[in-house]
């Protein structure tokens, strides 16, 4: 007779207890930036947010410059983890902006891309999507980005240098 192992879902607080203090602080920082960016996108014009965030229009396509920084990968993980567990909706643009600011504070470069596509429905509405990359690796917004045509890319100007 074969025994079956029941897969029980681990409570969120238990998962949090399994994380290191550095990871917990990173998740808290991601929550702060996501909340700030989601609120700012509702009341502040995007052009102002771009300037405030230290983003500059990119000249050409962003280039992959070697292997991704481990801190950048951790930031991407934290932003995606928190965004998926908030009580309110966090847009892809808020995620990309939040992650870019977390990277900027760490002196890590990134490229935020905005794309558009026609909705697959009959009414042919325009849809938009944003994603953030570092060293050619997606940190946020990877899901479904292929169907969007990039219209603008911004590079993050780090606040500090490494």
């Amino acid at each position: 007779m074969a025994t079956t192992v029941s897969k029980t879902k681990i409570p969120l607080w238990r998962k949090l207890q399994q994380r290191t203090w550095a990871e917990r602080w990173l998740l808290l920082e991601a929550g702060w930036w996501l909340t700030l960016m989601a609120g700012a996108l509702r009341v502040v014009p995007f052009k102002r947010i771009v300037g405030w965030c230290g983003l500059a229009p990119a000249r050409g396509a962003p280039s992959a410059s070697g292997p991704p920084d481990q801190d950048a990968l951790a930031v991407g993980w934290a932003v995606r983890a928190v965004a998926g567990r908030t009580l309110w909706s966090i847009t892809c643009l808020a995620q990309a902006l939040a992650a870019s600011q977390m990277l900027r504070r760490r002196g890590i470069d990134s490229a935020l891309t905005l794309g558009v596509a026609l909705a697959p429905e009959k009414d042919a509405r325009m849809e938009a999507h944003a994603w953030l990359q570092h060293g050619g690796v997606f940190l946020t917004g990877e899901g479904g980005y292929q169907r969007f045509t990039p219209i603008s890319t911004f590079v993050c100007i780090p606040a500090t240098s490494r």
Side-chain angles (χ1 to χ4, degrees):
M1 175 194 247
T3 59
T4 59
V5 177
S6 66
K7 292 185 178 182
T8 59
K9 196 168 184 179
I10 300 172
L12 188 59
W13 63 270
R14 182 70 87 185
K15 286 183 181 181
L16 192 58
Q17 284 181 326
Q18 294 172 349
R19 296 288 176 188
T20 66
W21 279 105
E23 290 171 327
R24 292 177 198 177
W25 280 113
L26 193 61
L27 291 167
L28 186 63
E29 181 184 359
W32 159 254
W33 281 109
L34 284 166
T35 302
L36 182 66
M37 291 303 165
L41 286 169
R42 291 180 178 266
V43 297
V44 179
F46 182 69
K47 185 176 181 177
R48 278 214 137 141
I49 294 172
V50 166
W52 175 62
C53 289
L55 298 171
R59 308 283 185 246
S63 61
S65 57
D69 189 299
Q70 291 302 311
D71 288 343
L73 296 176
V75 165
W77 162 79
V79 168
R80 290 188 313 272
V82 173
R85 290 173 175 82
T86 60
L87 299 175
W88 57 92
S89 176
I90 300 290
T91 64
C92 54
L93 182 55
Q95 291 179 48
L97 287 168
S100 75
Q101 290 309 286
M102 292 173 70
L103 294 175
R104 182 177 185 222
R105 289 187 60 241
R106 289 164 174 78
I108 302 172
D109 65 321
S110 62
L112 188 153
T113 305
L114 304 175
V116 294
L118 290 177
E121 295 91 29
K122 292 180 183 177
D123 63 355
R125 295 179 300 118
M126 186 73 73
E127 292 182 335
H129 186 51
W131 57 91
L132 187 75
Q133 292 177 287
H134 165 74
V137 175
F138 283 87
L139 300 179
T140 68
E142 182 177 12
Y145 86 96
Q146 300 91 341
R147 65 182 199 89
F148 293 89
T149 302
I151 58 167
S152 188
T153 300
F154 298 90
V155 291
C156 181
I157 303 166
T160 60
S161 60
R162 289 189 145 199

